[in-house]
């Protein structure tokens, strides 16, 4: 008879692993707890998206010049309010807000952490019942705790992240995070309303069969990417090619699949967007931190994502991320066929 495994909730796991965290023990635990609580509320609304009139355009345009859906705004509000009332965060950089959000006064007065967040990733998939997500990145502030935090607190390379994670609202809802001591994944059990440890010590396979890229933009890709795509499509038994093409259009979902199965995700620069589309602070850096912790690799085609120095909160970067050997191979093609800066 199978022995029943002990269920470990996110809350229990965070407390058990407090020693992994180099700074004051309770602070990060409370931050992750706050994010977990907001995630459950967002999950509830995501699940209802087809039922209630919460989907659909709000008519506004976000700071990236894209249409804002109601659920983006809802998710943004939930994460901001959970972090505001939690007391451990003094500032938030969100995809949905042009400027950083300052959390002043009350218990957040001397909070030591700032958070960059994409509250709802893959928002074009809301209306069609396809997986979406949330991505977050946590830094210690540079500024003194006597001051109000400022944009400079966010201008830190990804190597200085103290924690990062994502939530995927999919066929089941998962929260995956790292504090720099490996990656752990938790699945939401809706019957008890708790995230339960389901994927301990996640590792991304060194290589895989999947490449994920929006090939509709092919003509605008750099030559290195065009050549790499050809390489993916050529038959070669030794390296398991041709690979399979999979592209959901939600970074979190594409990334998560590749984490589990092995694969590479690429959002390169294009003629139209020389820095690519994805945002360094709240899309590339947190996923790069998780990837490296899981044994994978994340690059802008030439340099390690985590070492890029940001100078703007909504800065974009090309992204090549996933299985170590696949990203390394794509970089070889970039070096050979494309001249890129950085
Ligand atoms: P967001 O919904 O937060 O704006 O992010 C959308 C991003 C990312 O999730 C996805 O991988 C990418 O945009 C898809 O872009 P294309 O439609 O250009 O492929
Ligand atoms: Mn996004
Ligand atoms: Mn978003």
């Amino acid at each position: 008879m199978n022995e029943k495994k002990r269920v470990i909730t996110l809350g229990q796991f965070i407390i058990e692993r407090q020693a992994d965290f180099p700074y004051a023990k309770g602070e990060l635990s409370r931050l992750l707890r706050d994010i977990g609580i907001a995630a459950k509320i967002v999950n509830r609304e995501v699940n209802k998206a087809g039922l209630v009139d919460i989907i659909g355009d709000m008519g506004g345009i976000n700071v990236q010049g894209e249409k804002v859906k109601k659920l983006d705004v809802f998710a943004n509000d939930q994460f901001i309010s959970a972090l505001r009332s939690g007391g451990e965060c003094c500032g938030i950089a969100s995809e949905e807000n042009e400027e950083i959000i300052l959390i002043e006064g009350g218990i957040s007065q001397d909070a030591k952490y700032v958070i960059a967040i994409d509250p709802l990733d893959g928002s074009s998939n809301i209306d069609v019942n396809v997986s979406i997500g949330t991505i977050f990145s946590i830094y210690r502030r540079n500024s003194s705790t006597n001051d109000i935090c400022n944009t400079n607190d966010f201008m830190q390379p990804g190597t200085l992240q103290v924690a990062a994670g994502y939530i995927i609202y999919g066929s089941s809802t998962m929260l995956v995070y790292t504090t720099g001591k490996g990656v752990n994944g938790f699945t939401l059990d809706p019957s008890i309303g708790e995230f339960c440890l389901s994927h301990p010590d996640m590792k991304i396979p060194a290589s895989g069969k999947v490449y994920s890229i929006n090939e509709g933009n092919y003509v605008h890709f750099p030559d290195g990417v065009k050549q790499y795509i050809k390489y993916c499509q050529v038959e070669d038994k030794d390296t398991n090619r041709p690979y399979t093409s999979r592209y959901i259009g939600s970074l979190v979902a594409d990334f998560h699949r590749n984490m589990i199965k092995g694969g590479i995700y690429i959002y390169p620069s294009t003629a139209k967007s020389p820095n690519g589309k994805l945002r360094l602070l709240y899309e590339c850096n947190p996923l790069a931190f998780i990837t490296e912790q899981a044994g994978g690799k994340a690059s802008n085609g030439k340099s390690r994502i985590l070492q890029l120095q940001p100078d703007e909160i909504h800065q974009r970067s090309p992204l090549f991320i996933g299985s170590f050997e696949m990203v390394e191979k794509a970089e070889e093609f970039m070096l050979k066929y494309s001249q890129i800066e950085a």
Side-chain angles (χ1 to χ4, degrees), residues 95 118 120-122 135 278-279 283:
E95 184 196 10
D118 179 355
L120 210 74
D121 173 70
I135 314 173
L278 301 175
R279 280 53 62 103
E283 292 181 316

Side-chain angles (χ1 to χ4, degrees), residues 119-255:
L120 210 74
D121 173 70
S123 39
S124 67
N125 280 323
I126 298 169
D127 304 21
V128 290
N129 206 352
V130 169
S131 298
I132 49 182
T134 296
I135 314 173
F136 63 91
S137 164
I138 306 178
Y139 288 89
R140 265 174 95 81
R141 68 191 293 183
N142 292 323
S143 55
S144 151
T145 49
N146 298 321
D147 298 331
I148 296 167
C149 88
N150 61 70
T151 309
N152 250 337
D153 289 315
F154 294 88
M155 297 301 105
Q156 306 189 44
T159 45
L160 295 179
Q161 290 172 100
V162 295
Y166 64 86
I167 297 126
I168 176 165
Y169 312 98
S171 46
S172 54
T173 293
M174 276 190 75
L175 185 150
V176 175
Y177 82 93
T178 184
T179 56
K181 295 270 162 81
V183 181
N184 290 284
F186 301 80
T187 302
L188 183 64
D189 180 343
S191 66
I192 56 170
E194 293 280 4
F195 283 105
C196 301
L197 181 63
S198 52
H199 295 63
D201 197 18
M202 293 171 81
K203 294 287 174 214
I204 179 165
S207 192
K209 248 190 103 55
V210 169
Y211 71 103
S212 319
I213 184 166
N214 185 345
E215 281 185 72
N217 295 326
Y218 186 88
V219 290
H220 302 298
F221 288 158
D223 288 340
V225 172
K226 287 181 180 165
Q227 294 296 330
Y228 178 69
I229 291 174
K230 266 193 201 150
Y231 165 87
C232 293
Q233 295 169 343
V234 164
E235 180 141 24
D236 176 53
K237 292 220 165 56
D238 293 342
T239 49
N240 237 339
R241 285 178 290 143
Y243 296 153
T244 294
S245 169
R246 289 281 182 276
Y247 192 77
I248 295 168
S250 289
L251 171 62
V252 168
D254 281 307
F255 174 81

